[in-house]
Amino acid sequence: MHVSQALPVRQPEAVKPTLPPGMERDGFIALVDAVAFSLGVGAAAMMTFRTMIASTRPSAFKRGPDEPCCYLSQNEIARKRGVTACRIREHEKTLVRAGLIEKRTMANGARSGFCGCGIFFGVAIARVEEFLSLRDVIEADRRAHARLRGLRSSHKRHLKGILGELIEREGLTAEIERIQHMFLEWPAGQALHRMSLEELQQHEAEAEALTIAAADLLTKTPDRPLENERSHIQDTTQDSSEVICNDPVDGRSVGKPTRSTDIGPQPDGRVHCLEKQDGAVGAAHKSKFIQNLGSNRLYGLCSEEMQMWLDIERQKRGRLDFHSFVIAAQKRLPELGIHPSAWEEAVSVLDEDAAMLCVLITDAKVADPEVTILSAGGYLRGMIRAHRAGSLNIMGSLIGLNERNRRHH
C-alpha cells in the first residue's frame, strides 16, 4: 500500500472573504450604508447593523482565519440600541433577507464565541464588488436627480417672468390663463425630492415644454428679436452706458477672474464693475448681456461642446434665447466635473444671467489648448470669489474670447 493511500486526504480550508486592499472596516460600513436603502434596509435596521459590526475585530476583515462575527445576544444588542429585543429580531430578519448577515446560532438561539455561534458578516464582505457598482449607480442617479431639480428651478424662474410680462402686455387671455393654470399645478421644490428619477425626468420635460410655449407667445409681440440687437462686444469700453471693463485685456489671462488693483472709484467717481447690476435688470427671463451682444455672437464664443447643447435647444424652440443658454450651461456642468452647488452659489451671488456667462467662459477656457485649468469647478468658484472681491470682469473675458476666435479664424 502506498503511503499516499494510507493517509486521509486533507480537505483544503475554505477561504474566508476579506475586504479588498485599501478598504477597512469603517469604509465597509460606509459602503453598506450607501446601498442599504436599495437593499430594502431602513435606517433603524442599519443602526442595528452598525451596533453589531462594531463588536467585531477590525483585523478580522483583512486577515486571519476567523470570519468577522458578533457574539452579542439580542438582549445585549437591544440594550445598546435602546430598543426591545423584539425589534432586534425584526432587524436581524431584514438584514438576513438583504444578504448582509448570516445567523449561525445554537438550537436555542444562543450565541457563543467558544462555540463559534453568532452573527457573521462574510456574506456581505463577499458582495463588496457588487455594492461598489451599486453605489456608483446610486450616485449617478443622485447627481441626475439634482441636475433635473436644477433645470426645473430654471424653468420655473423663466416661466414666472414670462407670464408676468405676458399678463402685463396682453392681459389674462385664454391661452395665457391655460399656461398659468398649468404652471400653478407644478409641485413645490420640496416635493421634487420625493419623486423618482423617471417621474422627475417626465416633469422636467413637461416644464421645459410649457416654458417654451410661453416664450413663443412672448415672441409674437412687436419687439425686435435678440439676434438683431447691435453687438457691443467691441465698443463696450468706450460706451459709458454699457458694462465697463475694469481691467485691460490680456491674451494670457482673458476669462480668468481679474486682478483687484482697479476695483476702486475711477476718475469719474464710479466703480466700473457692473456685471451684477446688469444681470439684475429686468425680469428673470431676460439677459442684458444677450440683448447687448446678440445670441448668435454669444453662441460663437462657446466651445463646440456647449454649442452642441445650444443646437439641441435651438431645435426645440426654433431660436436661441436666454433660457437656451441657461439650460445648455447647466447640462454642461457634469461634463466639466462641476458640482451643482457651484452653479447654485453662482446664481445666488451673481444672478442667473452672469452665472450662465461664468460657465460659458469657464467652459471655453477649459476647451482652449493654450490654457491649463486643473479644475473647472475651482475656476468657476474663483470667479464667484472675484465677484465678491469686486474684481470680476465678465465683459473683459468675453472680449478676450472674441479676440481669440478672431486670431484662430
Side-chain angles (χ1 to χ4, degrees):
M1 180 183 293
H2 294 288
V3 175
S4 59
Q5 294 175 325
L7 296 176
V9 178
R10 183 178 181 181
Q11 298 294 329
E13 294 184 3
V15 178
K16 70 162 189 173
T18 56
L19 296 179
M23 180 179 288
E24 303 295 334
R25 185 185 68 177
D26 289 347
F28 172 68
I29 296 172
L31 173 62
V32 174
D33 196 41
V35 302
F37 182 79
S38 296
L39 298 175
V41 178
M46 266 307 299
M47 285 294 296
T48 298
F49 179 83
R50 294 191 199 97
T51 301
M52 293 189 298
I53 206 169
S55 69
T56 63
R57 291 180 293 106
S59 60
F61 288 80
K62 302 293 292 183
R63 62 183 182 274
D66 298 327
E67 182 180 346
C69 179
C70 168
Y71 301 110
L72 298 177
S73 68
Q74 290 178 341
N75 288 330
E76 289 175 305
I77 298 171
R79 187 168 58 252
K80 287 178 177 289
R81 285 274 288 108
V83 298
T84 63
C86 180
R87 289 291 303 277
I88 299 302
R89 282 194 292 273
E90 292 301 318
H91 292 166
E92 288 181 355
K93 291 178 182 178
T94 297
L95 295 170
V96 169
R97 285 195 301 268
L100 294 179
I101 63 172
E102 182 183 0
K103 293 178 66 174
R104 305 174 198 163
T105 60
M106 299 180 188
N108 60 356
R111 305 166 188 185
S112 169
F114 296 103
C115 303
C117 297
I119 302 295
F120 290 83
F121 300 93
V123 288
I125 296 173
R127 300 175 66 188
V128 164
E129 294 300 326
E130 175 192 344
F131 291 164
L132 288 171
S133 298
L134 179 57
R135 184 180 65 179
D136 290 342
V137 172
I138 293 170
E139 180 61 22
D141 287 348
R142 187 193 65 78
R143 289 194 298 267
H145 204 280
R147 180 180 61 81
L148 289 168
R149 295 197 306 272
L151 291 173
R152 208 302 292 263
S153 179
S154 291
H155 300 326
K156 184 176 182 178
R157 277 194 297 270
H158 285 257
L159 183 52
K160 186 176 181 180
I162 291 171
L163 280 172
E165 186 168 348
L166 282 172
I167 294 173
E168 181 180 352
R169 290 185 181 186
E170 304 181 25
L172 200 59
T173 65
E175 180 62 13
I176 295 175
E177 187 175 13
R178 183 188 69 84
I179 293 175
Q180 184 183 49
H181 177 72
M182 295 177 67
F183 172 63
L184 293 176
E185 289 186 338
W186 285 6
Q190 287 298 322
L192 300 182
H193 291 268
R194 297 189 292 270
M195 286 185 172
S196 67
L197 184 60
E198 293 73 19
E199 291 171 338
L200 186 56
Q201 285 172 334
Q202 181 177 351
H203 172 60
E204 186 275 328
E206 293 171 351
E208 182 176 33
L210 189 63
T211 305
I212 292 173
D216 287 340
L217 280 180
L218 195 61
T219 57
K220 295 177 181 178
T221 62
D223 287 3
R224 291 178 297 168
L226 296 181
E227 286 81 354
N228 296 332
E229 292 286 348
R230 179 174 64 92
S231 171
H232 297 280
I233 201 165
Q234 294 296 333
D235 62 356
T236 297
T237 55
Q238 283 77 39
D239 188 347
S240 61
S241 66
E242 305 299 335
V243 179
I244 302 176
C245 297
N246 62 4
D247 217 19
V249 178
D250 184 332
R252 295 168 298 177
S253 62
V254 167
K256 298 180 181 179
T258 57
R259 299 182 295 275
S260 58
T261 55
D262 296 323
I263 61 175
Q266 301 300 310
D268 61 1
R270 292 183 295 160
V271 177
H272 292 181
C273 185
L274 307 179
E275 287 85 353
K276 174 64 175 176
Q277 291 90 322
D278 277 351
V281 172
H285 64 287
K286 294 183 178 179
S287 167
K288 184 71 173 179
F289 286 104
I290 293 180
Q291 288 176 329
N292 286 343
L293 305 180
S295 59
N296 286 337
R297 182 177 291 272
L298 196 59
Y299 174 90
L301 301 181
C302 296
S303 69
E304 292 183 1
E305 292 79 6
M306 182 77 82
Q307 288 178 348
M308 181 194 71
W309 287 114
L310 287 169
D311 290 340
I312 293 173
E313 293 304 312
R314 192 205 302 266
Q315 190 174 26
K316 289 180 183 178
R317 60 196 80 207
R319 64 189 179 281
L320 285 179
D321 55 15
F322 177 37
H323 196 207
S324 305
F325 283 91
V326 170
I327 298 305
Q330 290 185 76
K331 290 186 175 179
R332 190 77 181 104
L333 293 178
E335 298 174 349
L336 291 168
I338 299 177
H339 195 274
S341 63
W343 167 259
E344 294 167 4
E345 183 183 6
V347 170
S348 65
V349 173
L350 294 162
D351 75 37
E352 202 168 50
D353 192 1
M356 174 271 293
L357 287 174
C358 286
V359 173
L360 184 153
I361 293 166
T362 299
D363 181 46
K365 299 300 290 184
V366 169
D368 189 344
E370 299 177 3
V371 177
T372 300
I373 295 179
L374 298 179
S375 169
Y379 192 88
L380 178 59
R381 292 187 189 275
M383 298 184 80
I384 299 170
R385 289 193 297 271
H387 170 77
R388 287 194 170 106
S391 60
L392 181 62
N393 186 10
I394 290 178
M395 190 57 74
S397 297
L398 293 175
I399 293 173
L401 292 179
N402 186 65
E403 291 298 318
R404 184 201 66 178
N405 287 353
R406 289 178 61 185
R407 291 195 305 269
H408 292 174
H409 295 87

